[in-house]
């Protein structure tokens, strides 16, 4: 048993988006013979169409490979692939916890990016053996020597020891496999101790229930044993266990050091929370594996069906999505303008885009989403603190003392020539400068404290625009702070349109109100009466535009005669328009909500 365990290597690949992580995983599977050449395709581990199209990893994946090393022995390699985006940082941290080593992939053309550093720090926190690798060295724009020096200054690995590979062509990948076997330590843990198994991912199968992907730290898990989820506090029977090859391969037991899966007719994926610990029901471990935390949504948006009859379909679709993605939170809400819908919580803006895309593709739903916003702490005059994620839940001005908004610690890495533009962008978004350090002579790291509300909308797009695509961005939640925030309402003929309400900083409210009213003026169709569009803070109107009435020429039939004939007809028309304004109803078209979403914040 000991000799077998000494030939296990549990490792992961960490990298920034588009640095070749999934391509490297493909080459490893190909060289170890895990996937036959006829079954080979790009991004083998990325099972969703969205992952393939965008070239990103959204869900963690794991696969077991067998490799005969240069010493003639067969080694079991468990590769745990991780998401690369900031929205999925917690999933990355749990996947890293399940490993003893990490392959740090850096694009030789683009160099070190913000997410590279973020994931590197996560790996160092988990005390992993770091193997730095330069990828895409075959590209004409590769700067292998310069980037290797950057890696040396970052982690202290001598530049000449950094491996150079091309995941696309397979150059250097065999050498990387040998390095993994030599440098990544075998797993520790004793098979006869009480069971401790970390859940690093889970998914839902409509026939078999929730499936937990686990790494066994201590003890042995056998088929048909009673198990307990220590955080969820529920018990099940391990009906099937096994290892993760290209598919699921059942086995009779999983021992300390192994990576595999557990199926137990678990009907709710929320019972198999990432970071939870599985132990035996009859001989439980004394403590759970440290590091578990609830995944909390950071960005909220109203999701409404364009056709009100699709409300129940939307509810069923969100329920099914939540089975595969427990990070989604939702609750019903009603809007006067949009009807019945849901307030949905997401990990970040990319997560929100992915969920919208899946609702459209997998469930064929046509939906409208309101402006994304974040959670605020509302403090009332009597000292009560209430957490709100919907602007329409802000108390009346007489009851409100102040609003606290969430701030994040942002880290931006960019070529030095764009630093001025980026600092101006951060200052415009109410950012507070913290620190600036240089990574060599050409690249610099900026640290800012930024309000989360200022970056969830279009900050990333602006950052890429100002830096010609070279800047990278990463952030971490740092807490709530008091800010001068107000609720901005949009009124049409005096009636508030709740779906267009927003919480904004007072200094930006006037500009936002002016843009909103101007945009709506272009989109709301003209009526037989005048339509007033106003932006207001409480009872104070700060911006106004008017959609002019369609005017019928009632005097066209008058070919002459006394002027009083024309005046009488015009007065009659005026009275009719005044009466129509009181009883008339203005329909806000769906394009208006979509256009406001695309409007510059």
């Amino acid at each position: 048993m000991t000799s077998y365990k000494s030939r296990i290597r549990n490792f992961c690949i960490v990298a920034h988006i588009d640095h070749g992580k999934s391509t490297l995983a493909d080459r490893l599977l190909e060289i170890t013979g895990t996937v036959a050449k006829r079954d080979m395709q790009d991004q083998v581990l990325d099972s969703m169409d969205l992952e393939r199209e965008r070239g990103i990893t959204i869900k963690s994946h794991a696969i077991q490979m067998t490799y005969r090393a240069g010493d003639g022995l067969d080694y079991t390699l468990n590769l745990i692939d991780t998401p690369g985006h900031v929205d999925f940082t917690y999933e990355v941290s749990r996947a890293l916890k399940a490993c003893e080593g990490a392959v740090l992939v850096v694009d030789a053309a683009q160099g070190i990016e913000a997410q590279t550093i973020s994931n590197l720090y996560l790996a160092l926190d988990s005390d992993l053996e770091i193997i730095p690798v330069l990828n895409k060295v075959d590209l004409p724009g590769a700067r292998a020597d310069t980037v290797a020096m950057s890696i040396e200054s970052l982690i202290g690995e001598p530049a000449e020891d950094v491996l150079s590979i091309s995941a696309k062509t397979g150059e250097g990948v065999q050498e990387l496999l040998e390095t993994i076997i030599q440098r990544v330590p075998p797993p520790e843990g004793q098979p006869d101790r009480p069971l401790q198994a970390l859940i690093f991912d889970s998914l839902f199968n409509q026939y078999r229930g929730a499936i937990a992907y686990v790494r066994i730290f201590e003890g042995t898990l056998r088929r048909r044993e009673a198990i307990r989820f220590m955080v969820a506090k529920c018990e099940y029977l391990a009906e099937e266990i096994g290892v993760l090859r290209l598919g699921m391969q059942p086995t009779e037991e999983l021992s300390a050091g192994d990576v595999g899966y557990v199926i137990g007719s678990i009907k709710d994926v929320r019972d198999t929370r990432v970071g939870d610990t599985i132990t035996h029901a009859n001989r439980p471990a004394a403590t759970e594996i440290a590091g578990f935390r609830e995944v909390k949504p950071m960005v909220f948006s109203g999701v409404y069906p364009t056709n009100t009859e699709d409300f129940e379909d939307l509810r069923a679709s969100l329920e099914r999505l939540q089975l595969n993605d427990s990070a989604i939170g939702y609750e019903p809400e009603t809007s006067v303008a949009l009807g019945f819908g849901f307030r949905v919580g997401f990990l970040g803006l990319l997560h929100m885009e992915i969920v919208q895309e899946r609702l459209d593709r997998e469930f064929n739903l046509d939906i409208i989403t309101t402006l994304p916003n974040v959670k605020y702490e509302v403090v009332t005059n009597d000292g009560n603190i209430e957490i709100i994620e919907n602007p329409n839940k802000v108390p009346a001005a007489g009851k409100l003392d102040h609003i606290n908004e969430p701030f994040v610690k942002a880290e931006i890495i960019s070529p030095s020539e764009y630093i001025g533009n980026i600092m101006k962008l951060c200052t415009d978004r109410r950012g507070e400068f913290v620190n600036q350090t240089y990574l060599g002579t050409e690249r610099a790291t900026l640290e800012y404290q930024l309000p989360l509300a200022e970056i969830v909308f279009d900050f990333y797009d602006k950052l890429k625009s100002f830096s010609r695509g070279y800047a990278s961005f990463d952030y971490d939640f740092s807490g709530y702070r008091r800010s001068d925030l107000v609720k901005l309402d949009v009124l049409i003929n005096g009636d508030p349109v709740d779906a267009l309400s927003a919480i904004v900083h007072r200094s930006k409210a006037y500009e936002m109100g002016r843009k909103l009213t101007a945009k709506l003026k272009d989109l709301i169709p003209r009526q037989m009466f005048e339509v007033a569009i106003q932006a207001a803070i409480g009872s104070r109107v700060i911006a106004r535009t008017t959609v002019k009435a369609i005017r019928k020429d009632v005097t066209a039939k008058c070919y002459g005669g006394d002027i009083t004939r024309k005046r009488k007809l015009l007065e009659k028309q005026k009275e009719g328009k005044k009466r129509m304004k009181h009883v008339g109803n203005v329909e806000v078209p769906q394009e208006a909500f979509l256009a406001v979403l695309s409007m510059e914040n």
Side-chain angles (χ1 to χ4, degrees):
M1 191 71 176
T2 308
S3 60
Y4 163 71
K5 198 169 75 172
S6 68
R7 296 201 304 276
I8 294 176
R9 299 291 183 269
N10 297 323
F11 72 100
C12 59
I13 304 170
V14 293
H16 189 78
I17 291 173
D18 199 34
H19 277 209
K21 179 160 55 73
S22 296
T23 311
L24 176 57
D26 291 348
R27 293 294 79 72
L28 293 174
L29 296 175
E30 198 175 272
I31 289 171
T32 56
T34 308
V35 181
K37 279 199 184 283
R38 66 174 180 274
D39 298 325
M40 199 66 206
Q41 58 176 332
D42 288 344
Q43 294 174 255
V44 170
L45 295 182
D46 294 342
S47 52
M48 291 163 58
D49 290 339
L50 269 173
E51 291 180 308
R52 295 180 191 284
E53 283 174 24
R54 291 179 176 231
I56 59 174
T57 300
I58 295 166
K59 285 284 284 175
S60 294
H61 302 276
I63 193 162
Q64 188 180 95
M65 302 173 280
T66 304
Y67 175 66
R68 178 155 289 179
D71 59 9
L73 295 173
D74 287 336
Y75 287 82
T76 299
L77 307 177
N78 289 310
L79 165 61
I80 298 171
D81 197 13
T82 59
H85 196 273
V86 63
D87 286 2
F88 309 107
T89 300
Y90 176 64
E91 279 197 26
V92 174
S93 73
R94 294 300 85 199
L96 293 173
K97 181 75 176 173
C99 303
E100 278 78 37
V103 177
L104 180 72
V105 177
V106 180
D107 189 321
Q110 297 181 55
I112 294 169
E113 306 269 23
Q115 197 65 35
T116 315
I117 293 177
S118 174
N119 287 346
L120 171 65
Y121 288 155
L122 287 174
L124 291 171
D125 287 344
S126 299
D127 201 23
L128 303 190
E129 175 67 33
I130 310 293
I131 301 173
V133 169
L134 278 179
N135 190 20
K136 306 187 185 180
V137 292
D138 56 321
L139 290 181
R143 301 174 291 118
D145 294 342
T146 308
V147 178
M149 291 298 290
S150 301
I151 293 173
E152 181 177 342
S153 63
L154 185 66
I155 62 172
E157 182 86 16
E160 59 271 15
D161 293 346
V162 176
L163 296 177
S164 296
I165 67 163
S166 169
K168 193 169 187 179
T169 64
E171 177 193 337
V173 178
Q174 189 99 30
E175 186 187 346
L176 172 60
L177 277 166
E178 294 290 341
T179 308
I180 289 168
I181 286 164
Q182 290 162 18
R183 289 182 53 179
V184 176
E188 297 176 354
Q190 300 301 320
D192 52 353
R193 287 184 182 169
L195 178 66
Q196 276 187 322
L198 173 74
I199 301 175
F200 63 84
D201 193 19
S202 61
L203 57 88
F204 190 82
N205 182 296
Q206 60 179 329
Y207 303 110
R208 313 207 63 180
I211 301 169
Y213 289 174
V214 297
R215 154 73 199 275
I216 312 288
F217 278 89
E218 298 283 357
T220 303
L221 174 62
R222 295 180 179 84
R223 195 169 69 86
R224 306 291 300 169
E225 283 187 326
I227 54 173
R228 177 183 298 166
F229 294 83
M230 297 183 79
V231 174
K233 292 182 170 52
C234 52
E235 294 187 6
Y236 292 97
L237 200 67
E239 293 175 359
E240 181 181 309
I241 61 174
V243 294
L244 296 154
R245 303 291 288 185
L246 199 53
M248 293 180 184
Q249 188 173 305
T251 57
E252 286 300 311
E253 67 174 41
L254 293 171
S255 187
D258 284 334
V259 174
Y261 67 91
V262 179
I263 299 174
S265 297
I266 305 163
K267 293 183 175 63
D268 193 342
V269 78
R270 281 169 289 193
D271 287 347
T272 58
R273 285 182 265 191
V274 172
D276 200 350
T277 305
I278 295 178
T279 189
H280 284 128
N282 54 3
R283 190 191 168 205
T287 57
E288 62 203 50
I289 295 165
F292 173 82
R293 64 179 170 86
E294 292 279 356
V295 179
K296 293 180 181 174
M298 298 288 280
V299 177
F300 297 84
S301 177
V303 177
Y304 297 85
T306 52
N307 185 350
T308 51
E309 292 173 3
D310 292 338
F311 173 73
E312 286 303 328
D313 290 342
L314 178 59
R315 183 200 296 274
S317 302
L318 285 169
E319 277 178 10
R320 287 185 62 188
L321 267 185
Q322 197 179 46
L323 290 174
N324 271 311
D325 188 351
S326 57
I328 298 172
Y330 66 92
E331 58 182 39
E333 74 170 7
T334 311
S335 162
V336 176
L338 297 174
F340 293 102
F342 295 92
R343 171 70 40 175
V344 185
F346 309 94
L347 296 175
L349 221 57
L350 176 75
H351 190 215
M352 177 176 159
E353 279 182 46
I354 289 161
V355 170
Q356 288 174 9
E357 194 80 24
R358 290 184 69 185
L359 285 171
D360 178 30
R361 289 187 185 196
E362 296 174 25
F363 304 101
N364 202 25
L365 283 171
D366 200 6
I367 58 171
I368 291 175
T369 53
T370 61
L371 280 166
N373 59 279
V374 299
K375 271 188 179 177
Y376 295 93
E377 281 185 352
V378 173
V379 183
T380 55
N381 288 333
D382 54 7
N384 286 334
I385 298 176
E386 188 182 344
I387 302 289
I388 63 156
E389 66 268 354
N390 188 339
N392 297 302
K393 291 183 179 177
V394 175
K399 296 180 181 177
L400 180 67
D401 184 65
H402 67 271
I403 301 175
N404 299 327
E405 66 175 327
F407 270 70
V408 295
K409 179 188 173 188
E411 187 175 67
I412 301 165
I413 296 181
S414 167
S416 307
E417 63 198 271
Y418 305 117
I419 291 296
N421 289 341
I422 293 168
M423 290 178 95
K424 184 180 183 303
L425 172 65
C426 292
T427 305
D428 290 345
R429 296 302 174 95
R430 300 189 284 123
E432 295 175 10
F433 178 77
V434 177
N435 193 18
Q436 179 178 350
T437 53
Y438 279 85
L439 300 166
T441 55
E442 296 178 0
R443 294 164 73 80
T445 304
L446 289 172
E447 282 183 30
Y448 269 87
Q449 285 284 340
L450 282 162
L452 182 59
E454 295 283 354
I455 65 172
V456 298
F457 201 75
D458 62 347
F459 180 83
Y460 193 64
D461 294 339
K462 285 276 191 293
L463 179 67
K464 287 293 182 187
S465 175
F466 284 176
S467 66
R468 298 186 184 176
Y470 286 110
S472 62
F473 173 63
D474 182 44
Y475 66 85
D476 202 17
F477 178 68
S478 62
Y480 282 89
R481 287 198 212 168
R482 180 171 178 166
S483 296
D484 188 12
L485 300 173
V486 292
K487 181 189 173 192
L488 181 68
D489 287 312
V490 174
L491 299 95
I492 295 180
N493 273 355
D495 296 325
V497 183
D498 53 357
L500 295 177
S501 297
I503 296 173
V504 294
H505 196 266
R506 193 181 296 274
S507 65
K508 299 197 171 190
Y510 295 92
E511 185 190 358
M512 179 84 167
R514 190 171 47 76
K515 284 185 177 179
L516 266 170
T517 51
K519 194 83 174 177
L520 288 169
K521 181 186 177 184
D522 296 337
L523 292 163
I524 290 176
R526 291 175 71 186
Q527 312 288 323
M528 292 298 290
F529 52 91
E530 202 173 73
V531 177
I533 304 168
Q534 298 167 308
I537 299 171
S539 58
R540 184 182 174 196
V541 175
I542 60 169
R544 171 183 170 135
T545 56
T546 305
V547 180
K548 295 294 182 187
I550 300 171
R551 184 172 178 272
K552 181 183 176 185
D553 189 359
V554 290
T555 60
K557 61 185 179 183
C558 293
Y559 292 105
D562 190 14
I563 186 67
T564 55
R565 287 184 64 201
K566 288 186 178 181
R567 195 170 288 150
K568 184 180 174 184
L569 288 168
L570 290 169
E571 286 296 325
K572 190 176 178 184
Q573 183 187 41
K574 191 176 176 182
E575 285 298 316
K577 286 191 181 296
K578 190 185 285 185
R579 190 168 59 251
M580 198 182 287
K581 188 171 183 177
H582 286 297
V583 298
N585 202 9
V586 182
E587 286 288 325
V588 182
Q590 289 163 7
E591 297 82 45
F593 298 102
L594 299 173
V596 168
L597 278 174
S598 62
M599 187 183 73
E600 285 186 3
N601 197 347

